[in-house]
Amino acid sequence: MSARSPTHQTRSHRSGPVPPSLRSNLLVLAALLVLLGLSAGSALIPMGVFNEVANLGIAAMKALLVLVFFMRLKTDSPLLRLVAAAGFAWLALLVALSLADLLSRQNLLPPW
Amino acid sequence: MSTAERIAPSYLEEGFSLRSWLGTRDHKRIAILYALGITFFFFLGGLAAALIRLELVTPAGDVLSAETYNKVFTFHGVVMVWFFLIPSIPATLGNFLLPLMIGARDMAFPRLNLFSWYLYIVGGLFTIACLLLGGVDTGWTFYTPFSTMFSNSNVMLAVVGVFVVGFSSIFTGLNFIVTIHTMRAPGMTWFRLPLFVWSMYAVALVMMLATPVLAMTLALIALERLFGVGIFDPALGGDPLLFQHFFWFYSHPAVYIMVLPAMGVVSELITAGVRRRIFGYKFMVWAIVGIAVVGFLVWGHHMFVSGQSMYAGIIFSILSFIIAVPSAIKVFNWTATLYKGDISFTAPLLYALGFVGLFMLGGLTGLFLAATALDVSLTDTYFVVAHFHYIMVGGSVMAYLGGIHYWWPKITGRLYSEAWARFAAILMFFGFNLTFFPQYVLGWEGMPRRYHEYLPQYQVLNVLSSAGATILAVSYLLPLGYLLWSLRHGARAGANPWNAQGLEWTTPSPPTLHNFEETPQVTGGPYAYEQP
């Protein structure tokens, strides 16, 4: 995979950034596996509500690694980064306004 | 007008075999394929509507059983929303016109464009299979827990059909965005784009950002229904309101997927019909973008009485009022464009004016429903049914038909009978109001929706509504007749029969395979009608 010849790259129609090297891919893979181990290991340590916090934090880091390196956002154009960010912003809208409901719900007792 | 002289054969003459159509990558032919598909589904959904109106002529449930009635209105909703309204303007007029309007040879991804059409057809086949195997009775909204725990009808078939057609939407949106970003002709800057292109851009963004949430929601229904995974079922730790949040996060923006393209069409129709530059071009652009963005923030107004918290209700109510602002800007600007215009009441302009009036009525009654206190009594009544039909049918369908009339000479190279077209447009306006205005009154008086029986005091208005539906049906069949007639007997259209502005009118009618003989150079903004 890494041994892409220069001719291949010049012939490519892709106008985006140069693909990451094998070394970079392997490093990110290793980081993802370490984070996976941490995620699984954290289940064995009782931290109460912080178990969830830790797991969500680790998941966010994994997602970020995939976005930045595997999906090449680090080296791609600002427009593409904006598009990716918009996807997250919209997801944040969905979560935030749904939580606006969930977190402010009150159990209304029947009037009788 | 040298580019309009025919040098190559038109896109219709590029091949006559079935294979040349089903394997085409030409955006114009794909638009025609979509047009055939959505016309079929429009009349199929219309047939279901006819059954509903027939049942409601009398207070007793004497034509359809309660169960069948549920299935008929569900089928009507599913077909009309996903197989007609959502793809109607973008997939037909958008596909046909977008490259022409920006001076491009085709879409950015022609194969993906064709693939989108096949997905649309596959989704449609699932929906028809669902109907033939007994139908589905959940309503087009697939509300849980009924859809996941209780309904014995073919929920999964309908869900798969909608899931598949959703991807057709996503790919069309992707194609539009990339095309507009990368394939504009030299000189076609963002603020020289016709408003129709802006509306296609905005709608493509909405399709891309909202439709994946629908796909995810439908997948979750499948997970819960088939495997008992607790997502929405409280007994399994789920939350039924979560479904409504997810569903309306897609489905309210979906209303704007239906109406934004209509607004784009109407801007073209009005400027050409009154021979005036659009009033406040930049305001119109920002209004389109504003509606697309704020349209994502109002979904909770569908949930005021479903158990959503009061505070969330207040937030969504305020946001829903806010979205009326850009909508009003558009209505005012269309009206201002008419001022001192050289108005000729051609059929496309009649449709466009019909749109403005009906959209305004639908929009203003939306404000009634956005008011939380009033919504408590109006939820699930015919007031809501009337409101959204004014937007979707009065708005989108009128604009779609207006657009079809306006660009028919470009698409087919033929002229239709203007007299018949004007008659149909006026009849449609009359039939539409007779069908749906009584439903406002019925809803205000408290008649609930989705029942096959009703109290006798509601009969007069229901009979009026059903009578209107008959007129409406005739007015929808008329264009089918005279437009098809024109294909064989209509006079040949020149390149620019309306003497309109826009790059699409500089090409021959019908255009050649690659649209332009030479890449056009754009030197000014759109709608330059008043130049001496």
Side-chain angles (χ1 to χ4, degrees), chain B residues 346-363:
Chain B
T346 54
L349 187 64
L350 289 177
Y351 278 108
L353 294 177
F355 166 92
V356 176
L358 297 178
F359 171 74
M360 203 172 67
L361 260 173

Side-chain angles (χ1 to χ4, degrees), chain A residues 79 83 86-87 90-91 93-98 100-102 104-106, chain B residues 181 209 213 239 241 245-246 249 296-297 299 307-309 311-312 315-316:
Chain A
L79 180 66
V83 170
W90 255 252
L91 186 65
L93 279 179
L94 170 64
V95 174
L97 281 172
S98 298
D101 162 34
L102 187 71
S104 61
R105 264 186 224 166
Q106 290 172 322
Chain B
H181 268 274
L209 290 166
V213 178
D239 182 347
L241 279 194
H245 278 298
F246 285 167
F249 184 82
F296 273 98
L297 309 176
W299 80 83
Q308 177 182 245
S309 89
Y311 304 103
I315 294 170
F316 282 118

Side-chain angles (χ1 to χ4, degrees), chain B residues 205-337:
Chain B
L205 287 176
V206 179
M207 281 171 165
M208 287 283 291
L209 290 166
T211 320
V213 178
L214 173 75
M216 174 202 78
T217 311
L218 296 174
L220 291 177
I221 283 192
L223 271 181
E224 183 160 306
R225 193 174 164 90
L226 298 177
F227 304 112
V229 179
I231 312 282
F232 307 122
D233 177 6
L236 299 171
D239 182 347
L241 279 194
L242 185 65
F243 173 82
Q244 294 185 29
H245 278 298
F246 285 167
F247 181 80
W248 289 113
F249 184 82
Y250 163 78
S251 290
H252 196 79
V255 175
Y256 299 103
I257 296 179
M258 301 170 207
V259 88
L260 277 170
M263 293 169 161
V265 167
V266 164
S267 299
E268 304 299 317
L269 267 48
I270 288 185
T271 47
V274 306
R275 315 211 57 72
R276 290 267 291 159
R277 195 182 290 267
I278 195 87
F279 183 86
Y281 171 83
K282 283 197 177 174
F283 267 84
M284 291 297 256
V285 170
W286 291 119
I288 288 173
V289 176
I291 290 170
V293 173
V294 183
F296 273 98
L297 309 176
V298 301
W299 80 83
H301 67 217
H302 294 270
M303 300 166 60
F304 286 156
V305 299
S306 60
Q308 177 182 245
S309 89
M310 184 178 68
Y311 304 103
I314 293 168
I315 294 170
F316 282 118
S317 173
I318 293 168
L319 288 166
S320 303
F321 276 105
I322 288 173
I323 204 167
V325 176
S327 307
I329 287 174
K330 297 197 77 71
V331 171
F332 287 131
N333 284 16
W334 287 319
T335 316
T337 306

